[in-house]
Amino acid sequence: MTEPLNDFSRLCVHTMTTKPWTLEQAVDGYTRAGIPGITVWREHVAPLGAKKAAKLLRDAEMKVVSLCRGGFFVASGAQAREQAKGENRRAIEEAAELGAPVLVLVCGAAPEVDLPRARQQIFDAIHAIEPDAKAAGVRLAIEPLHPMYADSRSAINTLEQANNIVFALNSPMVGVAVDVYHCWWDPFLRSEISRAGKSIFAFHVCDWRTPTRDLLNDRGMPGDGCINIREIRGWVEQAGFKGFVEVEVFSDQYWGWDQEKLVERIKRAWKQHA
Ligand code: ZN
């Protein structure tokens, strides 16, 4: 099921991986490098607006894989939670306008909201916006985050938790994003990937550096660290996933590079390790 190693037809790069580039520069750079897929971050859409960004992506014939990111549903106040749902409805509209079939959800957490309450708030919010996703034809991918982010970024920390929400909501519009950085340590990863099956909407790769010098912005390129990326990709594909393999690397180190050189580095890393 693995394609020839020189085939980049399933390579997707997140605009956040080449963060210093504008969306125009990223589209131009990826196109010249023969990278067919792009996952667009809202930060890179904002300066242009969704309409112009959509035209740019269409004209370049790039395959928009996902929009990152919605979520951040958790808050102690009801008004803030309503605002979060409103922002997610705008993100769904933006995804539809960009031609992104999936909106990735980083579900949120707040130190003042205990985890069981946070998880209930996340469930309620996804339940509330699901009809909007359905109306727009944009699927929602719950991305579990590594537990080191359970205080402030996501109270959904394992694929099991994400799967439980997906199965409880039982909607074709709600699935999961498997990111090896967040899930590689999980002893139940393989069985939960199998359980997720067709509800795997996205697959993100990068690597875990030792030592990790920054909790957010020190991710490695595939091959820089200790994650068994190929093996996990095999599990995801056995579960039925046939989509893009997305390189998502937040790294102060790589953002400091000439981004043209970084794109070549991404291609090499993807070919050899992803
Ligand atoms: Zn990710």
Side-chain angles (χ1 to χ4, degrees), residues 12-19 21-24 26-27 30 36-58 60 62-70 91 94-105 143 204 246-248 250:
C12 167
V13 177
H14 282 231
T15 58
M16 199 50 88
T17 303
T18 54
K19 183 181 169 188
W21 271 352
T22 63
L23 186 62
E24 292 99 322
V27 166
Y30 300 177
I38 186 168
T39 280
V40 182
W41 279 62
R42 297 189 76 196
E43 290 87 330
H44 286 106
V45 175
L48 279 178
K51 198 168 179 174
K52 276 190 188 159
K55 181 172 174 4
L56 176 75
L57 292 158
R58 264 197 317 273
M62 292 228 66
K63 172 74 187 157
V64 183
V65 175
S66 296
L67 178 65
C68 279
R69 59 199 179 185
E94 192 172 305
E97 173 119 47
L98 293 170
V102 171
L103 174 67
V104 175
L105 302 180
E143 179 168 359
H204 300 170
E246 306 177 39
V247 178
E248 181 193 27
F250 305 164

